[in-house]
Amino acid sequence: AFPVKDPQGHVMRIVGVAEDITKSRELQEHFLRAQRMEAIGTLAGGIAHDLNNILSPVLMAPLLLKDSVQSEHDLELLDLIEQGARRGSNILKQLLTFSRGTGGERISVQMRHLLKEMVSMVRETFPRNITAKVQVESDLKPVTGDPTQLHQVVMNLCVNARDAMLDGGQLSLSARNEVLGAEQVADHFPAKPGEFVVVSVMDTGSGIAPEIMGRVFEPFFTTKPPSKGTGLGLSTVLGIVRSHGGFVTVASLPESGTTFRIFLPASPAGTSPVPAADGDVLPRGRGETILVVDDEESILISMRSLLERHGYSVLTESEGSEAFATYTENRGLVRAVVTDVMMPGMGGLNLVRALKAFEPKLRIIASSGLTDQANHDNLKAAGVDAIVDKPCAPQAVLEALRRVLALAP
């Protein structure tokens, strides 16, 4: 601002310029939040390999020990160990989902069915003083995504709503079609203009205070007591939705409830989910020889025990070049290879390429703690027949072996 004077030098008026910097402030805050989340995501990805290697043998050990344990008390302890390992595995997967947008096979998903199933579950499991309803457009378009992850998104939001309504209230789920232009998605990378399915989760609970609204999606940030939450629920929601090409918005006022809106790109109807295999009976081998490659001795020991107990013969190596030499010496004997991806020396990806060049028909399973789509795509392009995410659950390893051996000539 500056004064305007008359010929005698008296101030006649003040002239000023005002600029609205609200948008630039919002963009700056958005950028800083993105930087913080990227840093935590990088940290999560960096520690994933070591943590997954630690948890893999812990997940396998209870199954291997149960047959030799007679005491009910000891069996309960094994169950506790297994439950703890699975809980740690789930927390790690949530971190990786946030940081990398991990996911399984993408298929056509109708959110109408998912929301109706969720409301049924809420009515059966949530406190009776919480009522639930669902409203979905009759012509709701499908989305392309991982149904398990999309279920997790809605579940996390419903659980947060429940925790915000300690004295009861109403939980409302809805879904509608909406077309968004370039301006509406400009601040929501990687979303692109087009048709979206908008899923809303609304509660009448305590709401979110304005001073913490900008932090609700940060990993480990939580207003709940330590025993009630990890602070990963909303960061996982954000990671999953972003990996599906969408974005999340939130509107809330203290004591006036909260509404989360999930924007997912709509897609044409596609394939239907494949029914899951019966998980009660672990598949057995028929004496086939399997070469297992991993730089962690604890994983080699537990994997050998698992496979031998379920009807396989096992060879083990701890490094890629040694594994290649062992395979060439036993070419007519080894039916499949199970290899880690991140190893010193010749890594798993180079080992796969070398083995496939030497024997194109060899069946290979990769086990990896880095479950992002780019890593999976590289492994499949190299010729991997199946991928088992670490920490390796016994069921997953045995199922993968059964599938790939069925493909072998």
Side-chain angles (χ1 to χ4, degrees):
F2 55 91
V4 177
K5 301 179 180 179
D6 63 14
Q8 288 73 39
H10 301 129
V11 176
M12 299 172 55
R13 65 180 65 88
I14 301 294
V15 178
V17 178
E19 180 184 2
D20 185 353
I21 62 171
T22 303
K23 189 65 176 178
S24 62
R25 283 282 183 89
E26 290 176 350
L27 289 174
Q28 184 182 31
E29 290 176 2
H30 179 77
F31 176 70
L32 292 175
R33 283 200 303 271
Q35 280 190 320
R36 288 198 301 269
M37 298 174 90
E38 182 180 0
I40 296 175
T42 302
L43 174 64
I47 65 175
H49 181 257
D50 288 340
L51 287 179
N52 280 317
N53 283 341
I54 292 169
L55 287 173
S56 287
V58 180
L59 269 176
M60 292 184 188
L63 175 68
L64 300 173
L65 292 172
K66 282 181 180 179
D67 290 341
S68 58
V69 171
Q70 303 297 325
S71 165
E72 284 292 330
H73 176 68
D74 291 344
L75 287 172
E76 289 176 0
L77 290 177
L78 289 176
D79 286 337
L80 287 175
I81 293 172
E82 185 175 9
Q83 291 169 14
R86 290 188 183 280
R87 184 181 179 190
S89 171
N90 289 335
I91 291 175
L92 183 57
K93 286 178 180 178
Q94 287 184 28
L95 270 174
L96 290 174
T97 297
F98 150 72
S99 65
R100 300 175 180 271
T102 61
E105 182 182 2
R106 303 291 172 89
I107 61 175
S108 181
V109 179
Q110 177 50 257
M111 296 302 292
R112 175 188 294 105
H113 305 316
L114 190 150
L115 294 182
K116 288 183 177 179
E117 290 175 3
M118 184 62 64
V119 166
S120 297
M121 186 172 66
V122 165
R123 288 170 178 165
E124 292 175 1
T125 60
F126 279 22
R128 297 301 180 189
N129 59 359
I130 294 178
T131 60
K133 67 177 184 177
V134 61
Q135 183 177 358
V136 180
E137 286 187 355
S138 59
D139 61 343
L140 189 70
K141 297 180 179 296
V143 300
T144 300
D146 180 337
T148 301
Q149 287 196 339
L150 294 178
H151 184 278
Q152 183 181 1
V153 165
V154 181
M155 171 61 80
N156 284 2
L157 294 178
C158 288
V159 169
N160 276 3
R162 178 202 65 189
D163 294 342
M165 297 187 288
L166 297 179
D167 298 324
Q170 181 167 288
L171 174 62
S172 302
L173 305 182
S174 64
R176 69 178 192 275
N177 300 317
E178 188 170 332
V179 178
L180 300 181
E183 292 185 0
Q184 293 167 292
V185 302
D187 297 334
H188 301 291
F189 179 83
K192 299 178 180 179
E195 295 184 327
F196 284 78
V197 171
V198 185
V199 177
S200 300
V201 179
M202 182 173 63
D203 67 66
T204 58
S206 55
I208 302 172
E211 60 268 21
I212 66 170
M213 182 68 80
R215 301 189 62 192
V216 294
F217 291 107
E218 290 184 10
F220 303 115
F221 176 79
T222 179
T223 58
K224 300 176 184 178
S227 61
K228 299 295 184 180
T230 61
L232 291 173
L234 289 179
S235 60
T236 300
V237 166
L238 183 63
I240 291 174
V241 174
R242 281 182 173 174
S243 76
H244 284 72
F247 60 96
V248 186
T249 66
V250 56
S252 181
L253 288 173
E255 306 307 325
S256 298
T258 303
T259 300
F260 284 92
R261 290 186 175 88
I262 310 300
F263 292 77
L264 297 167
S267 67
T271 56
S272 300
V274 178
D278 183 3
D280 294 334
V281 179
L282 294 176
R284 296 186 59 83
R286 300 176 180 175
E288 299 95 336
T289 298
I290 310 299
L291 173 59
V292 179
V293 191
D294 202 295
D295 60 317
E296 289 284 337
E297 184 179 1
S298 60
I299 292 180
L300 290 179
I301 293 172
S302 57
M303 191 74 79
R304 175 191 285 276
S305 299
L306 174 70
L307 297 184
E308 288 181 344
R309 184 163 297 191
H310 289 84
Y312 295 98
S313 296
V314 181
L315 300 174
T316 61
E317 291 293 351
S318 58
E319 198 271 337
S321 58
E322 296 172 355
F324 183 77
T326 297
Y327 176 75
T328 57
E329 294 171 3
N330 299 273
R331 182 176 185 179
L333 182 64
V334 174
R335 295 289 306 281
V337 174
V338 180
T339 180
D340 186 20
V341 175
M342 295 182 64
M343 297 184 293
M346 178 187 279
L349 188 58
N350 287 332
L351 173 62
V352 171
R353 290 170 177 157
L355 289 172
K356 281 291 186 178
F358 187 72
E359 178 51 77
K361 295 181 180 180
L362 177 65
R363 299 305 174 188
I364 301 178
I365 297 172
S367 62
S368 174
L370 300 179
T371 56
D372 56 290
Q373 193 60 44
N375 184 51
H376 282 202
D377 291 343
N378 289 335
L379 291 170
K380 290 177 181 177
V384 167
D385 298 286
I387 300 172
V388 178
D389 294 334
K390 284 187 174 181
C392 303
Q395 175 78 22
V397 175
L398 296 172
E399 287 283 359
L401 271 174
R402 181 174 67 178
R403 289 197 306 273
V404 302
L405 290 175
L407 300 173

